[in-house]
Amino acid sequence: MTKPMNKVLKAQFFVDDLSDDQKNVITNINCYIKQGLTGKTSSVAIIEGAAGTGKSVVLMELVRQYMTDKRYKTSLVVNHPELYKAYREMGSAIPNMNVSTIRRPTSLINYAQKNHEKYDIIFVDEAHLLYSKSEPYAHYRGQNQLTDLMNLAKVVVVVYDFDQVFQSKMYWDKKLLFKTIGNHPYKQFDMNFQYRMVASDEQVKWMNDLTEEKPIKPFPDNSDFEFKVFDKAGEMFEKIKERNKEYGMSRMVATSGFPRIDGRHNVEMDTFNLPWDEWDPQRTPWAKREGSITQVGTIYTLQGFDLNYVGMVIGPSFGYDKETDTMTVIPEKYSHKEVFKKRKDIKFSREEYKAFIANVLNVLIKRGKYGLYLTAYDDALRARLLELNNTGK
């Protein structure tokens, strides 16, 4: 028996009135899947788009269509532990869906190779989180998870956002993607329309420019999206708690760089002091848990989820350069060392590591549908953001 779907997840991943853009993408992918199922070699459908473009909504429509149809042998994989929990929970509420076919990629690959299983269609959300190298400690001994999935299925449908790449073991760019696909047929389905935020295109561009080390300008005031810079993280937290009471799903978030003190990993600044979220085996995803209002969200618990309001603490690994009037990225102050793990096959430059760190910030500042509150740990950066916010120059 299926149980009713959680309202928060339903609102995020299932839309009753799909836009014409989304309907067109789904129709075109359907044609491509049907064609791919009759092909001799496995083919790849690439859904590409930035954060907030509705990629997961499109994917879930396809999942609901094919994974409840007994004619197809299918699986949905995602390498993000919080999204995995969310998909399992949603799957149990979809009639005729077999939840055991929703897996982490390593689990599916190891199971299928051991049991000589083959699939018609494998859906991959957040495919930029697939391992592109061997990770024995995570029980993955292959060389590239996309290659392995292509060997298992007639059609692989992958969702990519190259601006959400921030770890060397999950490194992807266009060049590596096409090299991995090789001679297999593929088709790209671009989604370049913004759905998550009520922010205007100019406001989204401001967020992109900030993280790309371009001169900082005043935040455009041309939509209902609420933007405010705070001098004190403590004051910002009070505002986020108010918003959470009014609208729910409002959280504090931060980039890495805050040191561990006496074994505690807290985000500490002025009167603000809350624990960094720690991954938690609870079934309920972090973004949906009431208790997470007293923690600080990170990329590892929030990627792929919507919030209503975000209180963003830009961490110590971001500074300010007065001469260029830009926010700068300081990799040396970034405390999450997974980002810098070495690889034998690719040597990353300092600029590439800076891009990983900037990508983390870019993803987090775009989590909020209705508003972004901002402060920065670095005094000079915070002062400049405040000045622009208060005087417009």
Side-chain angles (χ1 to χ4, degrees), residues 8 64 70 106 108 125 137 144 184 244-245 265-266 269 276 298 323:
V8 174
R64 185 155 62 174
K70 299 273 188 284
T106 302
L108 179 84
D125 199 8
Y137 82 95
N144 183 310
H184 291 261
N244 193 50
K245 277 203 178 103
H265 200 181
N266 282 19
M269 186 180 155
W276 197 250
T298 66
E323 281 183 21

Side-chain angles (χ1 to χ4, degrees), residues 13-166:
F13 292 94
F14 291 98
V15 177
D16 292 331
D17 48 342
L18 290 164
S19 72
D20 289 343
D21 290 326
Q22 289 170 324
K23 284 176 186 163
N24 286 339
V25 171
I26 289 166
T27 302
N28 294 339
I29 296 176
N30 264 323
C31 293
Y32 188 73
I33 288 174
K34 298 276 193 297
Q35 183 189 322
L37 288 169
T38 61
K40 296 260 189 305
T41 177
S42 70
S43 53
V44 183
I46 306 160
I47 303 173
E48 196 195 333
T53 52
K55 301 182 298 293
S56 293
V57 169
V58 163
L59 185 75
M60 285 315 284
E61 277 301 313
L62 294 164
V63 161
R64 185 155 62 174
Q65 196 177 321
Y66 289 98
M67 290 186 68
T68 59
D69 189 329
K70 299 273 188 284
R71 290 174 302 169
Y72 304 109
K73 188 170 167 66
T74 55
S75 184
L76 165 64
V77 298
V78 62
N79 211 12
H80 190 291
E82 295 288 308
L83 268 181
Y84 168 71
K85 289 193 275 195
Y87 281 143
R88 297 273 296 198
E89 187 174 333
M90 285 188 288
S92 65
I94 298 171
N96 304 316
M97 172 80 95
N98 177 0
V99 180
S100 69
T101 57
I102 302 170
R103 305 182 81 133
R104 300 282 292 276
T106 302
S107 159
L108 179 84
I109 290 164
N110 290 347
Y111 165 81
Q113 288 176 346
K114 185 181 170 189
N115 296 288
H116 310 291
E117 296 279 352
K118 294 282 184 187
Y119 294 81
D120 293 311
I121 313 160
I122 294 175
F123 298 96
V124 189
D125 199 8
E126 307 276 352
H128 40 268
L129 300 180
L130 290 174
Y131 293 141
S132 53
K133 66 185 273 292
S134 179
E135 277 303 307
Y137 82 95
H139 309 293
Y140 176 64
R141 290 175 175 78
Q143 294 308 313
N144 183 310
Q145 290 190 321
L146 178 58
T147 303
D148 291 341
L149 293 169
M150 284 161 55
N151 288 336
L152 296 176
K154 290 178 186 169
V155 183
V156 183
V157 180
V158 290
V159 175
Y160 269 94
D161 175 359
F162 296 103
D163 291 334
Q164 295 198 38
V165 171
F166 28 71

Side-chain angles (χ1 to χ4, degrees), residues 185-335:
Y186 71 89
K187 190 169 180 182
Q188 256 177 284
F189 301 87
D190 292 323
M191 293 182 65
N192 47 14
F193 25 86
Q194 171 58 244
Y195 282 110
R196 174 183 296 124
M197 297 182 285
V198 298
S200 67
D201 290 347
E202 292 79 13
Q203 289 170 329
V204 173
K205 184 180 184 302
W206 184 93
M207 297 176 199
N208 291 336
D209 287 351
L210 178 73
T211 55
E212 286 169 16
E213 299 187 293
K214 290 180 181 172
I216 311 174
K217 295 188 172 75
F219 191 79
D221 180 18
N222 63 345
S223 81
D224 293 332
F225 188 77
E226 190 186 347
F227 176 82
K228 191 175 177 196
V229 179
F230 286 78
D231 187 32
K232 299 272 190 285
E235 282 172 28
M236 187 165 82
F237 182 43
E238 292 308 312
K239 191 70 179 165
I240 281 292
K241 285 192 286 191
E242 277 175 36
R243 287 287 181 246
N244 193 50
K245 277 203 178 103
E246 290 171 282
Y247 303 101
M249 298 291 285
S250 301
R251 298 287 183 269
M252 293 290 282
V253 306
T255 56
S256 174
F258 292 91
R260 282 186 184 272
I261 299 168
D262 302 329
R264 286 195 333 273
H265 200 181
N266 282 19
V267 174
E268 296 187 37
M269 186 180 155
D270 52 73
T271 59
F272 182 76
N273 185 355
L274 280 185
W276 197 250
D277 67 19
E278 299 288 350
W279 185 74
D280 182 322
Q282 286 187 48
R283 276 186 51 208
T284 310
W286 186 88
K288 281 173 48 203
R289 294 205 294 268
E290 278 308 310
S292 57
I293 186 69
T294 58
Q295 295 179 334
V296 180
T298 66
I299 203 72
Y300 301 102
T301 43
L302 270 174
Q303 190 177 13
F305 286 95
D306 292 353
L307 294 171
N308 288 329
Y309 288 84
V310 161
M312 176 82 231
V313 181
I314 301 176
S317 44
F318 293 89
Y320 175 67
D321 182 331
K322 192 172 180 182
E323 281 183 21
T324 55
D325 194 16
T326 59
M327 181 178 76
T328 57
V329 186
I330 311 158
E332 293 75 16
K333 291 189 177 178
Y334 200 76
S335 52

